[in-house]
Amino acid sequence: MIIALHHTGIATRDLDRLSNFYMKLFSGEILHSFAWDRSDVALSARLGLKSSSGRLVMIGFPNARLELFEFAEPAIDSAPQLRSVAEPGLSHICFQVSDCHAEHLRLSDAGVEFHAPPLAMPGGGIFAYCRDPDGNVVEILQAPQPGHSSSP
């Protein structure tokens, strides 16, 4: 029986930079962290890698977690590219906020770049997409108020 979605994992080239971004700007807190080396063959096998080493940090938020990985091995040769939200695969993570316009202003003032200003949806929600320091898409969402209807 599935109980809940526990976390989303993101690999990064700079664990300190990315974890600081989510802790400072999205009020996350480190729940635990650890490093491993290539002698940990059991962990590498479970990750689907022949051999690996790196660091991991689990950041907690109310009702959600992000697991951030920085791999020392295997080496990644390709330069990171901004991924379109239209490409198959995980497209974004979303943080629910109480005031989308206020959060957009706060995050913009902190240097976060948004695709566009917040947009109100017919169902009553307001959202905006931005990018984290690695280019991953992050949504801020002000959920519709209970009882809001999109019909006239």
Side-chain angles (χ1 to χ4, degrees):
M1 167 175 56
I2 303 296
I3 297 171
L5 179 64
H6 186 270
H7 68 270
T8 298
I10 300 175
T12 180
R13 294 174 191 269
D14 189 336
L15 185 64
D16 297 326
R17 179 190 66 184
L18 198 59
S19 59
N20 285 331
F21 173 83
Y22 284 108
M23 289 186 306
K24 178 180 174 188
L25 297 177
F26 290 88
S27 302
E29 64 179 63
I30 292 179
L31 301 177
H32 63 269
S33 63
F34 69 90
W36 74 98
D37 62 31
R38 60 188 320 191
S39 68
D40 193 339
V41 294
L43 179 59
S44 292
R46 271 123 191 111
L47 294 173
L49 300 168
K50 267 189 131 166
S51 179
S52 72
S53 64
R55 299 185 301 146
L56 172 150
V57 64
M58 183 70 77
I59 299 177
F61 306 91
N63 302 318
R65 294 176 179 93
L66 280 177
E67 185 177 42
L68 306 179
F69 289 89
E70 179 184 284
F71 287 91
E73 182 187 353
I76 304 298
D77 295 328
S78 62
Q81 297 183 11
L82 290 183
R83 206 171 162 274
S84 168
V85 297
E87 290 181 41
L90 297 174
S91 72
H92 67 280
I93 59 172
C94 179
F95 288 89
Q96 186 172 343
V97 299
S98 58
D99 184 333
C100 191
H101 293 287
E103 287 302 310
H104 175 264
L105 180 61
R106 181 183 71 81
L107 293 168
S108 294
D109 286 349
V112 175
E113 293 190 27
F114 281 82
H115 295 175
L119 176 67
M121 297 301 293
I126 303 169
F127 79 99
Y129 278 16
C130 62
R131 301 268 178 170
D132 72 14
D134 283 355
N136 298 301
V137 178
V138 178
E139 176 183 3
I140 55 172
L141 169 69
Q142 180 178 331
Q145 295 297 314
H148 183 278
S149 172
S150 59
S151 58

